[in-house]
Amino acid sequence: MDNSKDLARAERARLILNDPLVVEALAEIKATVMQAWEQSPARDVDGREYLHKYLAVIRQFEGALTRHIETGHIIKADIKAKEESKNLLAKAMERIRG
């Protein structure tokens, strides 16, 4: 994938993760699952395991989007470093030429 596609995906992921409706929905889901876990009897191993997997899926969803955002940050930093390097080279060439 090229940088422009990765940057677009990073921005879209950021918008999704920061969308108030998504934030609220994820918080509600997590709270519901945690409440169910807290109220489940200790002997309900299968039920607790299911709830644990449910939370793991939520974390994977958030993690997948976060990785796209982090990739975008890395690409932006790389682009900035390359631009700064070009600018330094151009300034050095100007000084050499006089």
Side-chain angles (χ1 to χ4, degrees):
M1 208 172 285
D2 64 29
N3 284 348
S4 62
K5 287 183 182 178
D6 284 337
L7 288 172
R9 290 169 64 93
E11 179 60 15
R12 184 72 184 123
R14 186 189 67 76
L15 291 172
I16 292 169
L17 271 184
N18 292 327
D19 184 289
L21 188 58
V22 173
V23 170
E24 182 180 336
L26 288 174
E28 286 177 14
I29 292 168
K30 288 177 188 176
T32 300
V33 172
M34 289 304 295
Q35 182 179 17
W37 178 79
E38 290 170 351
Q39 294 174 355
S40 67
R43 67 183 178 280
D44 185 7
V45 176
D46 290 339
R48 287 174 164 238
E49 182 66 24
Y50 174 79
L51 294 170
H52 181 267
K53 289 178 182 178
Y54 202 125
L55 285 175
V57 169
I58 294 169
R59 288 188 198 108
Q60 288 175 350
F61 171 78
E62 293 170 324
L65 293 174
T66 300
R67 281 188 295 282
H68 286 297
I69 295 168
E70 290 169 352
T71 297
H73 290 313
I74 292 168
I75 291 169
K76 286 178 185 178
D78 186 51
I79 290 169
K80 183 179 177 182
K82 287 178 181 176
E83 287 174 0
E84 288 174 356
S85 178
K86 286 180 185 178
N87 290 340
L88 287 173
L89 181 60
K91 286 180 184 179
M93 293 301 289
E94 279 182 32
R95 287 187 180 175
I96 291 171
R97 292 182 185 145

Coordinates of all heavy atoms in Angstrom, one line a residue:
M1 N 0.8 -1.2 0.0 CA 0.0 0.0 0.0 C 0.9 1.2 0.0 O 1.9 1.3 0.7 CB -0.9 0.0 1.3 CG -2.2 0.7 1.1 SD -3.3 0.5 2.4 CE -3.9 -1.2 2.2
D2 N 0.5 2.3 -0.7 CA 1.3 3.4 -0.8 C 1.0 4.4 0.4 O 0.0 4.2 1.1 CB 1.2 4.2 -2.1 CG -0.3 4.7 -2.4 OD1 -1.0 5.0 -1.4 OD2 -0.6 4.8 -3.6
N3 N 1.8 5.4 0.6 CA 1.7 6.2 1.7 C 0.4 7.0 1.8 O -0.2 7.1 2.9 CB 2.8 7.3 1.7 CG 4.1 6.7 2.2 OD1 4.2 5.6 2.7 ND2 5.2 7.4 2.0
S4 N -0.1 7.4 0.6 CA -1.4 8.2 0.6 C -2.5 7.3 1.1 O -3.4 7.7 1.9 CB -1.7 8.8 -0.7 OG -1.8 7.7 -1.7
K5 N -2.5 6.0 0.7 CA -3.6 5.1 1.2 C -3.5 4.8 2.7 O -4.4 4.8 3.4 CB -3.6 3.8 0.4 CG -4.1 4.0 -1.0 CD -4.1 2.6 -1.7 CE -4.6 2.8 -3.2 NZ -4.6 1.5 -3.9
D6 N -2.2 4.6 3.1 CA -2.0 4.4 4.5 C -2.4 5.6 5.4 O -3.0 5.5 6.5 CB -0.5 4.0 4.8 CG -0.2 2.6 4.4 OD1 -1.1 1.8 4.3 OD2 1.0 2.3 4.1
L7 N -2.0 6.8 4.9 CA -2.4 8.0 5.6 C -3.9 8.2 5.6 O -4.5 8.6 6.7 CB -1.7 9.2 5.0 CG -0.2 9.3 5.2 CD1 0.4 10.5 4.4 CD2 0.1 9.5 6.7
A8 N -4.6 7.9 4.6 CA -6.0 8.0 4.5 C -6.7 7.0 5.5 O -7.6 7.3 6.2 CB -6.6 7.7 3.1
R9 N -6.1 5.8 5.5 CA -6.6 4.8 6.5 C -6.4 5.2 7.9 O -7.2 5.0 8.8 CB -6.0 3.4 6.2 CG -6.5 2.8 4.9 CD -5.6 1.6 4.5 NE -5.7 0.5 5.4 CZ -6.6 -0.5 5.3 NH1 -7.4 -0.5 4.3 NH2 -6.6 -1.5 6.2
A10 N -5.2 5.8 8.2 CA -4.9 6.3 9.5 C -5.9 7.3 9.9 O -6.4 7.3 11.1 CB -3.5 6.8 9.6
E11 N -6.2 8.3 9.1 CA -7.1 9.3 9.4 C -8.5 8.8 9.6 O -9.2 9.2 10.6 CB -7.1 10.4 8.3 CG -8.1 11.5 8.5 CD -7.8 12.3 9.8 OE1 -6.8 12.2 10.4 OE2 -8.8 13.1 10.2
R12 N -8.9 7.8 8.8 CA -10.2 7.2 9.0 C -10.3 6.5 10.3 O -11.3 6.6 11.0 CB -10.5 6.3 7.8 CG -11.9 5.7 7.8 CD -13.0 6.7 7.5 NE -14.2 6.1 7.6 CZ -15.2 6.5 8.4 NH1 -15.1 7.6 9.1 NH2 -16.3 5.9 8.5
A13 N -9.3 5.8 10.6 CA -9.2 5.0 11.9 C -9.3 6.0 13.1 O -10.0 5.7 14.1 CB -7.9 4.2 12.0
R14 N -8.6 7.1 13.0 CA -8.6 8.1 14.0 C -10.0 8.7 14.2 O -10.5 8.8 15.3 CB -7.7 9.3 13.7 CG -7.5 10.3 14.9 CD -6.7 11.5 14.4 NE -7.4 12.3 13.4 CZ -8.5 13.1 13.6 NH1 -8.9 13.3 14.8 NH2 -9.0 13.8 12.6
L15 N -10.7 9.0 13.1 CA -12.0 9.5 13.2 C -13.0 8.5 13.8 O -13.9 8.9 14.6 CB -12.5 9.9 11.8 CG -11.9 11.1 11.1 CD1 -12.3 11.2 9.7 CD2 -12.2 12.4 11.9
I16 N -12.8 7.2 13.5 CA -13.7 6.2 14.0 C -13.5 6.1 15.5 O -14.4 6.1 16.3 CB -13.4 4.8 13.3 CG1 -14.0 4.9 11.9 CG2 -14.1 3.7 14.1 CD1 -13.5 3.7 11.0
L17 N -12.2 5.9 15.9 CA -11.9 5.8 17.4 C -12.3 7.0 18.2 O -12.6 6.8 19.4 CB -10.4 5.4 17.6 CG -10.1 4.0 17.5 CD1 -8.6 3.8 17.8 CD2 -10.9 3.1 18.5
N18 N -12.3 8.1 17.6 CA -12.6 9.4 18.4 C -14.0 9.8 18.2 O -14.4 10.8 18.8 CB -11.7 10.5 17.9 CG -10.2 10.2 18.4 OD1 -10.0 9.6 19.4 ND2 -9.3 10.7 17.6
D19 N -14.8 9.1 17.4 CA -16.2 9.4 17.2 C -16.9 9.2 18.5 O -16.9 8.1 19.1 CB -16.8 8.5 16.1 CG -18.2 8.9 15.8 OD1 -19.1 8.7 16.7 OD2 -18.5 9.4 14.7
P20 N -17.6 10.3 19.0 CA -18.3 10.2 20.3 C -19.3 9.0 20.4 O -19.4 8.3 21.4 CB -19.0 11.5 20.4 CG -18.3 12.4 19.6 CD -17.7 11.6 18.4
L21 N -19.9 8.7 19.3 CA -20.9 7.6 19.3 C -20.2 6.2 19.4 O -20.6 5.4 20.2 CB -21.7 7.6 18.0 CG -22.9 6.6 18.0 CD1 -23.9 6.8 19.1 CD2 -23.6 6.8 16.6
V22 N -19.0 6.1 18.8 CA -18.3 4.8 18.9 C -17.7 4.7 20.3 O -17.7 3.7 20.9 CB -17.1 4.8 17.8 CG1 -16.2 3.6 18.0 CG2 -17.8 4.7 16.4
V23 N -17.1 5.8 20.8 CA -16.6 5.8 22.1 C -17.6 5.4 23.2 O -17.4 4.6 24.0 CB -16.0 7.2 22.5 CG1 -15.6 7.3 24.0 CG2 -14.8 7.5 21.6
E24 N -18.8 6.0 23.0 CA -19.9 5.7 23.9 C -20.3 4.2 23.8 O -20.6 3.5 24.8 CB -21.1 6.6 23.7 CG -22.3 6.4 24.6 CD -23.4 7.4 24.2 OE1 -23.2 8.4 23.7 OE2 -24.6 7.0 24.6
A25 N -20.5 3.8 22.6 CA -20.9 2.4 22.3 C -19.9 1.4 22.9 O -20.3 0.4 23.6 CB -21.1 2.2 20.8
L26 N -18.6 1.6 22.7 CA -17.6 0.7 23.2 C -17.6 0.7 24.7 O -17.5 -0.3 25.4 CB -16.2 1.0 22.6 CG -16.0 0.7 21.2 CD1 -14.7 1.2 20.7 CD2 -16.1 -0.8 20.9
A27 N -17.8 1.9 25.3 CA -17.8 2.0 26.8 C -19.0 1.2 27.3 O -18.9 0.5 28.4 CB -17.8 3.5 27.2
E28 N -20.1 1.4 26.7 CA -21.3 0.7 27.1 C -21.2 -0.8 27.0 O -21.5 -1.6 27.9 CB -22.6 1.1 26.3 CG -23.1 2.5 26.7 CD -24.2 2.9 25.8 OE1 -24.8 2.1 25.1 OE2 -24.5 4.1 25.8
I29 N -20.6 -1.3 25.9 CA -20.4 -2.7 25.7 C -19.4 -3.3 26.8 O -19.7 -4.3 27.4 CB -19.9 -3.0 24.3 CG1 -21.0 -2.7 23.3 CG2 -19.4 -4.5 24.2 CD1 -20.4 -2.7 21.8
K30 N -18.3 -2.5 27.0 CA -17.4 -3.0 28.0 C -18.0 -3.0 29.4 O -17.8 -4.0 30.1 CB -16.2 -2.1 28.0 CG -15.3 -2.2 26.8 CD -14.1 -1.2 26.9 CE -13.3 -1.1 25.7 NZ -12.3 0.0 25.8
A31 N -18.8 -2.0 29.7 CA -19.4 -2.0 31.0 C -20.4 -3.1 31.2 O -20.5 -3.7 32.2 CB -20.1 -0.6 31.2
T32 N -21.2 -3.4 30.1 CA -22.2 -4.5 30.2 C -21.5 -5.8 30.4 O -21.9 -6.7 31.2 CB -23.0 -4.5 28.9 OG1 -23.7 -3.3 28.8 CG2 -24.0 -5.7 28.9
V33 N -20.4 -6.0 29.6 CA -19.6 -7.3 29.8 C -19.0 -7.4 31.1 O -19.1 -8.5 31.8 CB -18.6 -7.4 28.6 CG1 -17.7 -8.6 28.9 CG2 -19.2 -7.5 27.3
M34 N -18.4 -6.3 31.6 CA -17.8 -6.4 33.0 C -18.9 -6.6 34.0 O -18.6 -7.4 35.0 CB -17.0 -5.1 33.2 CG -15.8 -4.9 32.4 SD -14.6 -6.3 32.6 CE -14.2 -6.1 34.3
Q35 N -20.0 -6.0 33.9 CA -21.1 -6.2 34.9 C -21.5 -7.7 34.8 O -21.8 -8.3 35.9 CB -22.3 -5.3 34.6 CG -23.4 -5.4 35.6 CD -24.5 -4.5 35.3 OE1 -24.7 -4.0 34.2 NE2 -25.4 -4.3 36.3
A36 N -21.7 -8.2 33.6 CA -22.1 -9.6 33.5 C -21.0 -10.5 34.1 O -21.3 -11.5 34.8 CB -22.3 -10.0 32.0
W37 N -19.7 -10.2 33.9 CA -18.7 -11.0 34.5 C -18.7 -10.9 36.1 O -18.6 -12.0 36.7 CB -17.3 -10.5 34.0 CG -16.2 -11.3 34.6 CD1 -15.7 -12.5 34.3 CD2 -15.4 -10.8 35.7 NE1 -14.7 -12.9 35.1 CE2 -14.4 -11.9 36.0 CE3 -15.3 -9.7 36.5 CZ2 -13.5 -11.8 37.0 CZ3 -14.4 -9.6 37.5 CH2 -13.5 -10.6 37.8
E38 N -18.9 -9.7 36.6 CA -18.9 -9.5 38.0 C -20.1 -10.3 38.7 O -20.0 -10.8 39.8 CB -19.0 -8.0 38.4 CG -17.7 -7.3 38.1 CD -17.8 -5.8 38.2 OE1 -19.0 -5.3 38.3 OE2 -16.8 -5.1 38.1
Q39 N -21.2 -10.4 38.0 CA -22.4 -11.0 38.5 C -22.4 -12.5 38.2 O -23.3 -13.2 38.8 CB -23.6 -10.3 37.9 CG -23.8 -8.9 38.4 CD -25.0 -8.2 37.7 OE1 -25.6 -8.7 36.8 NE2 -25.2 -7.0 38.1
S40 N -21.5 -13.0 37.4 CA -21.5 -14.4 37.1 C -20.9 -15.2 38.3 O -20.0 -14.8 38.9 CB -20.7 -14.7 35.8 OG -19.3 -14.4 36.0
P41 N -21.5 -16.4 38.5 CA -21.0 -17.2 39.6 C -19.6 -17.8 39.2 O -19.3 -18.0 38.0 CB -22.0 -18.4 39.7 CG -22.8 -18.3 38.5 CD -22.7 -17.0 37.9
A42 N -18.7 -17.9 40.2 CA -17.4 -18.4 39.9 C -17.4 -19.7 39.3 O -16.4 -20.0 38.5 CB -16.6 -18.4 41.3
R43 N -18.4 -20.5 39.5 CA -18.4 -21.9 38.9 C -18.8 -21.9 37.4 O -18.6 -22.9 36.7 CB -19.4 -22.8 39.7 CG -20.8 -22.3 39.5 CD -21.8 -23.2 40.4 NE -23.1 -22.7 40.2 CZ -23.7 -21.7 40.9 NH1 -22.9 -21.0 41.7 NH2 -24.9 -21.3 40.7
D44 N -19.2 -20.7 36.9 CA -19.6 -20.6 35.5 C -18.4 -20.3 34.6 O -18.2 -19.2 34.1 CB -20.7 -19.5 35.3 CG -21.2 -19.4 33.9 OD1 -20.8 -20.3 33.1 OD2 -21.9 -18.5 33.6
V45 N -17.5 -21.3 34.6 CA -16.2 -21.1 33.8 C -16.5 -20.8 32.4 O -15.9 -19.9 31.8 CB -15.3 -22.3 34.0 CG1 -14.1 -22.2 33.2 CG2 -15.0 -22.5 35.5
D46 N -17.4 -21.5 31.8 CA -17.7 -21.3 30.3 C -18.2 -19.9 30.0 O -17.8 -19.3 29.1 CB -18.7 -22.4 29.8 CG -18.1 -23.8 29.7 OD1 -16.8 -23.9 29.7 OD2 -18.8 -24.7 29.7
G47 N -19.1 -19.5 30.9 CA -19.7 -18.1 30.7 C -18.6 -17.1 30.9 O -18.6 -16.1 30.1
R48 N -17.8 -17.2 31.9 CA -16.7 -16.2 32.1 C -15.7 -16.2 31.0 O -15.2 -15.2 30.6 CB -16.0 -16.5 33.5 CG -16.9 -16.1 34.6 CD -16.3 -16.5 36.0 NE -16.9 -15.8 37.0 CZ -16.3 -15.0 37.9 NH1 -15.0 -14.9 37.8 NH2 -17.0 -14.4 38.8
E49 N -15.4 -17.4 30.5 CA -14.5 -17.5 29.3 C -15.1 -16.8 28.1 O -14.4 -16.1 27.4 CB -14.3 -19.0 29.0 CG -13.3 -19.2 27.9 CD -11.9 -18.8 28.2 OE1 -11.5 -18.7 29.4 OE2 -11.1 -18.5 27.3
Y50 N -16.4 -17.0 27.9 CA -17.1 -16.3 26.8 C -17.0 -14.8 26.9 O -16.6 -14.1 26.0 CB -18.5 -16.7 26.7 CG -19.3 -15.9 25.7 CD1 -19.3 -16.3 24.4 CD2 -20.1 -14.9 26.1 CE1 -20.0 -15.5 23.4 CE2 -20.8 -14.1 25.2 CZ -20.8 -14.5 23.8 OH -21.5 -13.7 22.9
L51 N -17.2 -14.3 28.2 CA -17.1 -12.8 28.4 C -15.7 -12.3 28.2 O -15.5 -11.2 27.7 CB -17.6 -12.5 29.8 CG -19.1 -12.8 30.1 CD1 -19.4 -12.7 31.5 CD2 -19.9 -11.8 29.2
H52 N -14.7 -13.2 28.6 CA -13.3 -12.8 28.4 C -13.0 -12.7 26.9 O -12.3 -11.7 26.5 CB -12.4 -13.8 29.1 CG -10.9 -13.5 28.9 ND1 -10.2 -14.0 27.9 CD2 -10.1 -12.7 29.7 CE1 -8.9 -13.6 28.0 NE2 -8.9 -12.8 29.1
K53 N -13.5 -13.6 26.1 CA -13.3 -13.6 24.7 C -14.0 -12.4 24.1 O -13.4 -11.7 23.1 CB -13.8 -14.9 24.0 CG -12.9 -16.1 24.3 CD -13.5 -17.3 23.7 CE -12.6 -18.5 24.1 NZ -13.1 -19.8 23.6
Y54 N -15.1 -12.0 24.6 CA -15.9 -10.9 24.1 C -15.0 -9.6 24.3 O -14.9 -8.8 23.4 CB -17.2 -10.8 24.9 CG -18.3 -10.0 24.2 CD1 -19.5 -10.6 24.0 CD2 -18.1 -8.7 23.9 CE1 -20.6 -9.9 23.5 CE2 -19.2 -8.0 23.3 CZ -20.4 -8.6 23.1 OH -21.4 -7.9 22.5
L55 N -14.5 -9.4 25.5 CA -13.6 -8.3 25.8 C -12.4 -8.3 24.9 O -11.9 -7.3 24.4 CB -13.2 -8.2 27.2 CG -14.2 -7.8 28.2 CD1 -13.7 -7.9 29.7 CD2 -14.7 -6.4 28.0
A56 N -11.8 -9.5 24.6 CA -10.6 -9.6 23.8 C -11.0 -9.1 22.4 O -10.1 -8.5 21.7 CB -10.1 -11.0 23.7
V57 N -12.1 -9.4 21.9 CA -12.5 -9.0 20.5 C -12.6 -7.4 20.5 O -12.2 -6.8 19.5 CB -13.9 -9.6 20.1 CG1 -14.4 -9.0 18.8 CG2 -13.7 -11.1 19.9
I58 N -13.2 -6.9 21.5 CA -13.3 -5.4 21.6 C -11.9 -4.8 21.6 O -11.6 -3.8 20.8 CB -14.0 -5.0 22.9 CG1 -15.5 -5.4 22.8 CG2 -13.9 -3.4 23.0 CD1 -16.2 -5.3 24.1
R59 N -11.0 -5.4 22.3 CA -9.6 -4.9 22.4 C -8.9 -5.1 21.0 O -8.1 -4.2 20.6 CB -8.8 -5.6 23.4 CG -9.2 -5.2 24.8 CD -8.2 -5.8 25.9 NE -8.8 -5.7 27.2 CZ -9.3 -6.8 27.8 NH1 -9.2 -8.0 27.3 NH2 -9.9 -6.6 29.0
Q60 N -9.2 -6.2 20.3 CA -8.6 -6.4 19.0 C -9.1 -5.3 18.0 O -8.4 -4.8 17.2 CB -9.0 -7.8 18.5 CG -8.2 -8.9 19.2 CD -8.6 -10.2 18.7 OE1 -9.7 -10.4 18.0 NE2 -7.9 -11.3 19.1
F61 N -10.4 -5.0 18.1 CA -11.0 -4.0 17.2 C -10.3 -2.6 17.5 O -9.8 -2.0 16.5 CB -12.5 -3.8 17.5 CG -13.2 -2.7 16.9 CD1 -13.5 -2.7 15.5 CD2 -13.5 -1.5 17.6 CE1 -14.1 -1.6 14.9 CE2 -14.1 -0.5 17.0 CZ -14.4 -0.5 15.7
E62 N -10.2 -2.2 18.7 CA -9.5 -1.0 19.1 C -8.0 -1.0 18.7 O -7.5 -0.1 18.1 CB -9.6 -0.7 20.6 CG -11.0 -0.4 21.0 CD -11.2 -0.4 22.5 OE1 -10.5 -1.2 23.2 OE2 -12.0 0.4 23.0
G63 N -7.4 -2.2 18.9 CA -6.0 -2.3 18.5 C -5.7 -2.2 17.0 O -4.7 -1.6 16.6
A64 N -6.6 -2.8 16.2 CA -6.5 -2.8 14.8 C -6.5 -1.3 14.3 O -5.7 -0.9 13.5 CB -7.6 -3.6 14.1
L65 N -7.5 -0.5 14.8 CA -7.6 0.9 14.4 C -6.4 1.7 14.9 O -5.9 2.5 14.2 CB -8.9 1.4 14.9 CG -10.2 0.9 14.3 CD1 -11.4 1.4 14.9 CD2 -10.2 1.2 12.8
T66 N -6.0 1.4 16.2 CA -4.8 2.1 16.7 C -3.6 1.8 15.9 O -2.8 2.7 15.7 CB -4.6 1.6 18.2 OG1 -5.8 2.0 18.9 CG2 -3.4 2.3 18.8
R67 N -3.4 0.6 15.4 CA -2.2 0.3 14.6 C -2.2 1.1 13.3 O -1.2 1.6 12.9 CB -2.1 -1.2 14.3 CG -1.6 -2.0 15.5 CD -1.3 -3.4 15.1 NE -2.5 -4.2 14.8 CZ -3.4 -4.7 15.7 NH1 -3.2 -4.5 16.9 NH2 -4.5 -5.3 15.3
H68 N -3.4 1.3 12.7 CA -3.5 2.2 11.5 C -3.1 3.6 11.9 O -2.4 4.3 11.1 CB -4.9 2.2 10.9 CG -5.2 0.9 10.2 ND1 -4.6 0.4 9.1 CD2 -6.2 -0.1 10.5 CE1 -5.1 -0.7 8.7 NE2 -6.0 -1.0 9.6
I69 N -3.5 4.1 13.0 CA -3.2 5.4 13.4 C -1.7 5.6 13.7 O -1.0 6.5 13.2 CB -4.0 5.8 14.7 CG1 -5.5 5.9 14.4 CG2 -3.4 7.1 15.3 CD1 -6.3 6.0 15.7
E70 N -1.1 4.6 14.3 CA 0.3 4.6 14.6 C 1.1 4.5 13.3 O 2.2 5.2 13.1 CB 0.7 3.4 15.5 CG 0.2 3.6 16.9 CD 0.3 2.4 17.8 OE1 0.7 1.3 17.3 OE2 0.1 2.5 19.0
T71 N 0.7 3.7 12.3 CA 1.3 3.7 11.0 C 1.3 5.0 10.4 O 2.3 5.5 9.8 CB 0.6 2.6 10.1 OG1 0.8 1.3 10.7 CG2 1.2 2.6 8.7
G72 N 0.2 5.7 10.5 CA 0.1 7.1 9.9 C 1.1 8.0 10.6 O 1.7 8.9 9.9
H73 N 1.3 7.9 11.9 CA 2.2 8.8 12.6 C 3.7 8.5 12.1 O 4.4 9.4 11.9 CB 2.2 8.6 14.1 CG 0.9 9.1 14.8 ND1 0.4 10.3 14.6 CD2 0.1 8.5 15.7 CE1 -0.6 10.5 15.3 NE2 -0.9 9.4 16.0
I74 N 4.0 7.2 11.9 CA 5.3 6.8 11.4 C 5.5 7.4 10.0 O 6.6 7.9 9.7 CB 5.5 5.3 11.5 CG1 5.5 4.8 12.9 CG2 6.7 4.9 10.7 CD1 5.4 3.3 13.1
I75 N 4.5 7.3 9.2 CA 4.7 7.7 7.8 C 4.8 9.3 7.8 O 5.7 9.8 7.1 CB 3.4 7.3 6.9 CG1 3.5 5.8 6.7 CG2 3.4 8.1 5.6 CD1 2.2 5.3 6.1
K76 N 4.0 10.0 8.6 CA 4.2 11.4 8.7 C 5.6 11.8 9.2 O 6.2 12.8 8.6 CB 3.1 12.0 9.6 CG 1.7 12.0 9.0 CD 0.7 12.6 10.0 CE -0.7 12.5 9.4 NZ -1.7 13.0 10.4
A77 N 6.1 11.1 10.2 CA 7.4 11.4 10.7 C 8.5 11.2 9.6 O 9.4 12.0 9.5 CB 7.7 10.6 11.9
D78 N 8.3 10.1 8.9 CA 9.3 9.8 7.8 C 9.2 10.8 6.7 O 10.3 11.2 6.2 CB 8.9 8.4 7.2 CG 10.0 7.9 6.2 OD1 11.2 7.9 6.6 OD2 9.6 7.5 5.1
I79 N 8.0 11.2 6.3 CA 7.9 12.3 5.3 C 8.6 13.6 5.8 O 9.3 14.2 5.0 CB 6.4 12.5 4.9 CG1 5.9 11.3 4.1 CG2 6.3 13.8 4.1 CD1 4.4 11.3 4.0
K80 N 8.3 13.9 7.0 CA 8.9 15.2 7.6 C 10.4 15.1 7.6 O 11.1 16.0 7.2 CB 8.3 15.4 9.0 CG 8.8 16.7 9.6 CD 8.2 16.9 11.0 CE 8.8 18.1 11.6 NZ 8.3 18.4 13.0
A81 N 10.9 13.9 8.0 CA 12.4 13.8 8.1 C 13.0 13.9 6.7 O 14.1 14.5 6.5 CB 12.7 12.4 8.7
K82 N 12.4 13.3 5.7 CA 12.9 13.4 4.3 C 12.8 14.8 3.8 O 13.8 15.2 3.1 CB 12.1 12.4 3.4 CG 12.4 11.0 3.6 CD 11.5 10.1 2.8 CE 11.9 8.6 3.0 NZ 11.0 7.7 2.3
E83 N 11.8 15.5 4.1 CA 11.7 16.9 3.7 C 12.7 17.8 4.4 O 13.4 18.6 3.7 CB 10.3 17.5 4.0 CG 9.2 16.9 3.1 CD 7.8 17.4 3.6 OE1 7.7 18.1 4.6 OE2 6.8 17.0 2.9
E84 N 13.0 17.5 5.7 CA 14.0 18.3 6.4 C 15.4 18.0 5.8 O 16.2 18.9 5.7 CB 13.9 18.0 7.9 CG 12.7 18.6 8.6 CD 12.6 18.2 10.0 OE1 13.4 17.3 10.5 OE2 11.7 18.7 10.7
S85 N 15.6 16.7 5.5 CA 16.9 16.3 4.9 C 17.1 17.0 3.5 O 18.2 17.5 3.2 CB 16.9 14.8 4.7 OG 18.1 14.4 4.1
K86 N 16.0 17.1 2.7 CA 16.1 17.8 1.4 C 16.4 19.2 1.6 O 17.2 19.8 0.9 CB 14.8 17.6 0.6 CG 14.6 16.2 0.1 CD 13.3 16.1 -0.7 CE 13.1 14.7 -1.2 NZ 11.8 14.6 -1.9
N87 N 15.7 19.9 2.6 CA 15.9 21.3 2.9 C 17.4 21.5 3.3 O 18.0 22.5 2.9 CB 15.0 21.8 3.9 CG 13.5 21.9 3.4 OD1 13.3 21.9 2.2 ND2 12.6 21.9 4.3
L88 N 17.9 20.7 4.2 CA 19.3 20.9 4.6 C 20.3 20.7 3.5 O 21.2 21.5 3.3 CB 19.6 19.8 5.7 CG 19.0 20.1 7.1 CD1 19.3 18.9 8.0 CD2 19.5 21.4 7.7
L89 N 20.0 19.7 2.6 CA 20.8 19.5 1.4 C 20.8 20.7 0.5 O 21.8 21.2 0.0 CB 20.4 18.2 0.7 CG 21.2 17.9 -0.5 CD1 22.7 17.7 -0.2 CD2 20.7 16.6 -1.2
A90 N 19.6 21.3 0.3 CA 19.4 22.4 -0.6 C 20.2 23.6 0.0 O 20.9 24.4 -0.7 CB 18.0 22.8 -0.8
K91 N 20.1 23.8 1.3 CA 20.8 24.9 2.0 C 22.3 24.8 1.8 O 23.1 25.7 1.6 CB 20.4 25.1 3.4 CG 19.0 25.6 3.6 CD 18.7 25.7 5.1 CE 17.3 26.2 5.3 NZ 16.9 26.3 6.7
A92 N 22.8 23.5 2.0 CA 24.2 23.3 1.9 C 24.7 23.5 0.5 O 25.8 24.1 0.3 CB 24.5 21.8 2.3
M93 N 23.9 23.1 -0.5 CA 24.2 23.4 -1.9 C 24.3 24.9 -2.2 O 25.1 25.3 -2.9 CB 23.2 22.7 -2.8 CG 23.3 21.1 -2.7 SD 24.9 20.5 -3.2 CE 24.9 20.7 -4.9
E94 N 23.4 25.6 -1.6 CA 23.4 27.1 -1.8 C 24.7 27.7 -1.3 O 25.3 28.6 -1.9 CB 22.2 27.7 -1.1 CG 20.9 27.7 -1.9 CD 19.8 28.4 -1.2 OE1 20.0 29.4 -0.5 OE2 18.6 27.9 -1.3
R95 N 25.1 27.3 -0.1 CA 26.3 27.8 0.5 C 27.5 27.4 -0.3 O 28.4 28.2 -0.4 CB 26.4 27.3 1.9 CG 25.4 28.0 2.8 CD 25.6 27.6 4.3 NE 24.6 28.3 5.1 CZ 24.5 28.1 6.4 NH1 25.3 27.3 7.0 NH2 23.6 28.8 7.0
I96 N 27.5 26.2 -0.8 CA 28.6 25.8 -1.6 C 28.7 26.6 -2.9 O 29.8 27.0 -3.3 CB 28.5 24.3 -2.0 CG1 28.7 23.4 -0.7 CG2 29.5 23.9 -3.0 CD1 28.5 22.0 -0.9
R97 N 27.6 26.9 -3.5 CA 27.6 27.6 -4.8 C 27.8 29.1 -4.6 O 28.1 29.8 -5.5 CB 26.2 27.4 -5.5 CG 26.1 26.0 -6.0 CD 24.8 25.8 -6.7 NE 24.6 24.4 -7.1 CZ 23.5 23.8 -7.2 NH1 22.4 24.4 -6.8 NH2 23.4 22.5 -7.5
G98 N 27.6 29.5 -3.4 CA 28.0 30.8 -3.1 C 27.2 32.0 -2.9 O 27.3 33.0 -3.0

